[in-house]
Amino acid sequence: MIDYIKLQVQNINVNKLLNNNKLDFKTEVSESTGVISTKKIATFHYCKITVYDSDIVIFQGSIHKLFNSVKRIKAPNYNKENYKGFNGNDFTLSNILEVKNVLCELFNCESKQMIFQNIEFGIKHNFYKKNWL
């Protein structure tokens, strides 16, 4: 199962992304020096979108949590306070394809414009049932 990913999104309209009303981009300012960061960061369904002043766009986070958030699937022990998303249920190939469509719509791009930089695979297996040593 794929969970965490990091993508570079290439050749998109960065101004359109920055003005997307689904996203609230923030810029960090150092309290001690007053230096303003050269990147803008927004969260989207427990994931992070970073736009650098060079127009490089990075998306990173758990696409499993993103899927559950989009579908409004919450953890069985959901507590609104300090909730960090849910990835404890099954996450199928068709779910991954739905996430791909969500990201293509969000970035107004084709999937070939999203270049993987990092991908995390999870394996569901009960090691206690087999003698694997």
Side-chain angles (χ1 to χ4, degrees), residues 76-114:
N77 60 348
Y78 171 74
N79 180 349
K80 189 174 184 177
E81 196 172 305
N82 297 320
Y83 189 67
K84 296 179 182 172
F86 175 58
N87 66 352
N89 57 343
D90 287 339
F91 189 53
T92 66
L93 180 59
S94 64
N95 299 152
I96 293 168
L97 296 175
E98 284 187 60
V99 168
K100 177 195 69 132
N101 292 335
V102 167
L103 294 177
C104 285
E105 183 180 325
L106 177 69
F107 293 115
N108 192 30
C109 72
E110 298 177 26
S111 58
K112 65 183 179 182
Q113 291 172 261
M114 295 184 284

Side-chain angles (χ1 to χ4, degrees):
M1 163 176 47
I2 297 174
D3 188 24
Y4 178 91
I5 64 170
K6 182 176 179 182
L7 303 170
Q8 181 177 352
V9 188
Q10 298 181 332
N11 302 319
I12 65 167
N13 184 333
V14 175
N15 286 329
K16 186 173 182 177
L17 178 66
L18 291 171
N19 291 304
N20 185 327
N21 62 3
K22 294 179 184 177
L23 302 172
D24 181 20
F25 282 94
K26 296 179 176 25
T27 302
E28 295 176 352
V29 178
S30 169
E31 289 186 20
S32 60
T33 65
V35 173
I36 299 172
S37 174
T38 60
K39 62 186 176 187
K40 296 172 177 64
I41 300 171
T43 57
F44 180 72
H45 295 280
Y46 305 103
C47 296
K48 183 167 78 169
I49 300 166
T50 305
V51 178
Y52 294 88
D53 63 347
S54 59
D55 285 348
I56 291 175
V57 177
I58 302 292
F59 170 89
Q60 58 189 343
S62 168
I63 59 173
H64 191 168
K65 288 181 181 181
L66 183 151
F67 177 81
N68 283 333
S69 179
V70 167
K71 296 293 186 177
R72 294 187 169 98
I73 299 169
K74 304 244 188 277
N77 60 348
Y78 171 74
N79 180 349
K80 189 174 184 177
E81 196 172 305
N82 297 320
Y83 189 67
K84 296 179 182 172
F86 175 58
N87 66 352
N89 57 343
D90 287 339
F91 189 53
T92 66
L93 180 59
S94 64
N95 299 152
I96 293 168
L97 296 175
E98 284 187 60
V99 168
K100 177 195 69 132
N101 292 335
V102 167
L103 294 177
C104 285
E105 183 180 325
L106 177 69
F107 293 115
N108 192 30
C109 72
E110 298 177 26
S111 58
K112 65 183 179 182
Q113 291 172 261
M114 295 184 284
I115 310 301
F116 281 98
Q117 293 189 331
N118 190 347
I119 187 166
E120 176 187 291
F121 290 93
I123 298 171
K124 184 177 179 181
H125 184 73
N126 188 344
F127 288 106
Y128 297 108
K129 288 187 177 179
K130 296 187 180 198
N131 184 3
W132 57 281
L133 291 175

